Amino acid sequence: FADMMDNIGNIALLERAAAFGLLAPAQAQQAADAYRHYRSVQHALRLQGATYARVDPESIKAHRQAVCNLWDSLIVTRQESDSTEPDSD
């Protein structure tokens, strides 16, 4: 997947991953929505003079779950593929 190496931004990479079948399209969209929301919140806090982008965890619960689901699917998929490869010893 050489096209996944391009420096085109997180959202575009999520879209490509879905196009290649590496992620479900809905999962890629939810992760992209979460990323957009996080960036929007971070930007708003910076404009207010905040040093850190700290938010109430409840206010981002759904977005956090989308990112956790993405992470879990990628890690589990990788671990499963690693366990099916023969040892190189």
Side-chain angles (χ1 to χ4, degrees), residues 39-55:
R39 295 291 296 176
S40 173
V41 168
Q42 179 187 41
H43 182 69
L45 288 168
R46 294 289 185 175
L47 287 175
Q48 295 170 16
T51 303
Y52 302 105
R54 304 264 163 83
V55 298

Side-chain angles (χ1 to χ4, degrees), residues 24-88:
Q27 188 176 40
Q29 183 62 53
Q30 290 169 350
D33 291 345
Y35 180 79
R36 284 185 194 97
H37 180 76
Y38 292 151
R39 295 291 296 176
S40 173
V41 168
Q42 179 187 41
H43 182 69
L45 288 168
R46 294 289 185 175
L47 287 175
Q48 295 170 16
T51 303
Y52 302 105
R54 304 264 163 83
V55 298
D56 176 16
E58 282 298 310
S59 71
I60 58 166
K61 189 174 183 176
H63 293 297
R64 182 180 186 279
Q65 188 60 53
V67 173
C68 288
N69 291 342
L70 173 67
W71 178 261
D72 289 344
S73 73
L74 293 173
I75 296 303
V76 169
T77 299
R78 177 67 186 164
Q79 288 175 345
E80 288 172 355
S81 69
D82 284 350
S83 67
T84 60
E85 294 177 9
D87 290 334
S88 60

